[in-house]
Amino acid sequence: MYTAHPDRYAQMPYRRTGRSGLKLPALSLGLWHNFGPDRPVETQRAILRRAFDLGVTHFDLANNYGPPPGSAESALGAALKADFAPYRDELVISTKAGYLMWPGPYGEWGSRKYLLSSLDQSLERMGLDYVDIFYSHRPDPQTPLEETMGALHTAVQQGKALYVGVSNYSPEQTREAARILAELGTPLLIHQPRYSMLDRRPEAGGLLDALDELQVGSIAYSPLEQGLLTGRYLNGIPEDSRAASDSPFLNSDAVTEELVGRLRALDEIAGSRGQTLAQLALAWVLRQGRVTSALVGASSPRQLEDSVAAVGNLDFDSDELARIDKIVQG
């Protein structure tokens, strides 16, 4: 029987999510690609237990995480039952709906029918009565935003979600979503954008400014840019890496000599700070407190430990930030 570490809250910083009462750990665990039937169950459970022991209280999912779709939620459900039943009130569990989940016209996007049906399926897979955060995973160009946000509001009214969020919404869409939800009486809690040292669209496009203005929290996904911002690619493309596979998220063409040179320069800065490149990248995303939490994946407890160690040094001086900008932006 698993017993959580008594000092699990000693080192992890927790940040208030927008103007809500909810605090999230600076690092949250995403169950995107490492929780499915192709991974050993004991490894999955060991990652979750180690995460909680390190103060990572937030587990983030979506209906289609796996592979196959749904398997990550099922894996978490089994772990919750086996290990975390006494700790449910110490956990923040989130899921999303928006991408293709089942065949036919009602299996994706942002209709009321899809979102609420998907949430019911997610709760069943995880064995839960409610999730802490339910997201619209992407905007639907053909469904009125009032319908999509109304479905999120209904999830809260039904007691199936405590808070709601959006992911991959533009600044303008986020402002309108927040306005609609405020009128309904269910505040927009959080936005989940893709954000890293190599992908600064939330800055350049004004999303972070919009979230500051709205007092909405943020949680960055892909802060390690699909593994590029780790030590994996400092000497080219390893045979067993994502870039060497048939992954649609990262291919070998992206790993150019110029990029490898930039990664090596960033790694030198990391070394001067006593960090790995991955720790530097996570600390950078969390700098200045504009981002509430950064999502990390893990294929082993050791990999998770390396990521969590980033919270030991989240401060940058102006010279470090300028050097990073020069390396990344050229």
Side-chain angles (χ1 to χ4, degrees), residues 48-99:
L48 292 167
R49 291 192 295 258
R50 188 63 181 137
F52 190 53
D53 284 345
L54 292 171
V56 178
T57 53
H58 178 206
F59 300 155
D60 179 78
L61 303 100
N63 57 357
N64 63 341
Y65 285 0
S71 61
E73 290 181 331
S74 296
L76 179 63
L80 291 174
K81 183 177 180 180
D83 294 327
F84 294 100
Y87 306 106
R88 174 63 184 98
D89 292 335
E90 296 183 48
L91 292 171
V92 174
I93 297 170
S94 60
T95 197
K96 316 176 199 70
Y99 287 93

Side-chain angles (χ1 to χ4, degrees), residues 83-210:
D83 294 327
F84 294 100
Y87 306 106
R88 174 63 184 98
D89 292 335
E90 296 183 48
L91 292 171
V92 174
I93 297 170
S94 60
T95 197
K96 316 176 199 70
Y99 287 93
L100 181 63
M101 185 59 191
W102 62 82
Y106 321 118
E108 62 178 324
W109 293 108
S111 72
R112 179 179 183 85
K113 179 172 178 59
Y114 168 64
L115 290 174
L116 295 178
S117 297
S118 177
L119 178 55
D120 284 342
Q121 293 180 21
S122 292
L123 292 174
E124 184 175 358
R125 281 190 291 268
M126 292 186 284
L128 295 174
D129 297 323
Y130 70 94
V131 291
D132 296 275
I133 308 170
F134 182 47
Y135 288 88
S136 168
H137 207 166
R138 62 172 170 172
D140 183 342
Q142 295 184 319
T143 297
L145 195 56
E146 288 82 0
E147 178 175 339
T148 301
M149 296 303 107
L152 297 184
H153 170 67
T154 295
V156 173
Q157 294 298 104
Q158 291 177 338
K160 296 177 181 178
L162 300 185
Y163 301 92
V164 298
V166 297
S167 181
N168 300 308
Y169 277 52
S170 71
E172 295 74 20
Q173 291 165 333
T174 302
R175 285 190 175 93
E176 184 63 5
R179 183 193 66 77
I180 294 168
L181 285 167
E183 290 182 355
L184 292 171
T186 297
L188 177 62
L189 174 80
I190 195 167
H191 188 298
Q192 187 173 135
R194 180 168 180 160
Y195 183 43
S196 74
M197 285 196 291
L198 300 179
D199 187 347
R200 301 191 179 190
R201 285 174 292 178
E203 290 178 19
L207 178 62
L208 294 184
D209 291 336

